[in-house]
Amino acid sequence: RHLLRRCPSMPTAAVPKLIVFDLDACLWTPEMYELSGRPTKYDAARGGVAAGGDVVRLFSGAAAVLARFLPGGDPRLSSATVAVASSTTEPAYAATCLENLPVSPERGETVADLVDHRQIYPGSKGRQHFPALQRETGVPFDQMLFFDDCTYGDNCGDVARSCPGVACVRTPHGLTEALFDAGLAAFARGERGVLDAVKDAVK
């Protein structure tokens, strides 16, 4: 009954052409609606983007995953395009965080430097965000891999139902390298839909 499909024609070494990340509670914390003020600039002393009395920080696992897309990182990912899909009610806040959060403070590249496509606005990821990404990129759904925390709704299920072929990974405690690698491996095996097989990677 779960939304798992298999694409037997995919080569075992296949890498997604488009890798899509949710933002709130997947790449960073706290969520935009929780902030006590508008995000401003990166505060090195506090290790994140200042937002009133709050600080927006990347999850350590997310930072490690994103660093693999930097020059000199994981060569398997050199051909992949990165996108973000968020249904936050504060898209301007999210944009500020993207543009000011460094992937690695020692290097200086921000998350925005890695992101080629953004779909950040309230709405259905399955009916709005992903169809828009498909139109923008021309990448077929079965060449996309999606990571989302699914805290307030099953965005992975929504995308899997509305956009058959997308491989979707739930990250209930934020993105980790284990979940990312499990998602890549399941994608390479030809698995699509909601990848329940990666549950063992959830810590």
Side-chain angles (χ1 to χ4, degrees), residues 8-177:
S9 63
M10 296 303 298
T12 57
V15 173
K17 291 183 179 178
L18 184 67
I19 300 178
V20 186
F21 299 105
D22 175 38
L23 297 175
D24 285 352
C26 180
L27 291 189
W28 61 47
T29 188
E31 301 193 39
M32 298 295 97
Y33 82 92
E34 298 175 306
L35 299 179
S36 58
R38 179 179 294 275
T40 54
K41 295 291 185 181
Y42 180 72
D43 184 332
R46 300 169 76 187
V49 172
D54 299 306
V55 180
V56 180
R57 299 181 178 92
L58 290 173
F59 288 109
S60 59
V65 167
L66 293 174
R68 291 163 62 173
F69 290 90
L70 294 172
D74 189 336
R76 295 177 302 164
L77 303 175
S78 61
S79 62
T81 298
V82 175
V84 294
S86 171
S87 54
T88 179
T89 56
E90 298 289 353
Y93 285 15
T96 297
C97 292
L98 282 172
E99 290 155 11
N100 287 276
L101 270 173
V103 175
S104 171
E106 297 76 23
R107 292 186 51 146
E109 293 100 330
T110 67
V111 179
D113 292 328
L114 301 180
V115 175
D116 298 291
H117 301 277
R118 305 182 189 185
Q119 292 292 321
I120 306 175
Y121 46 83
S124 163
K125 294 183 182 180
R127 295 186 300 277
Q128 294 172 275
H129 296 72
F130 269 77
L133 286 171
Q134 199 283 321
R135 291 192 297 270
E136 281 185 11
T137 64
V139 174
F141 288 136
D142 66 1
Q143 291 299 308
M144 298 183 186
L145 176 60
F146 176 44
F147 297 88
D148 191 293
D149 64 284
C150 298
T151 301
Y152 296 106
D154 188 8
N155 291 316
C156 284
D158 178 30
V159 170
R161 284 187 296 271
S162 301
C163 306
V166 179
C168 305
V169 178
R170 297 186 179 107
T171 63
H173 309 298
L175 182 64
T176 66
E177 284 198 277

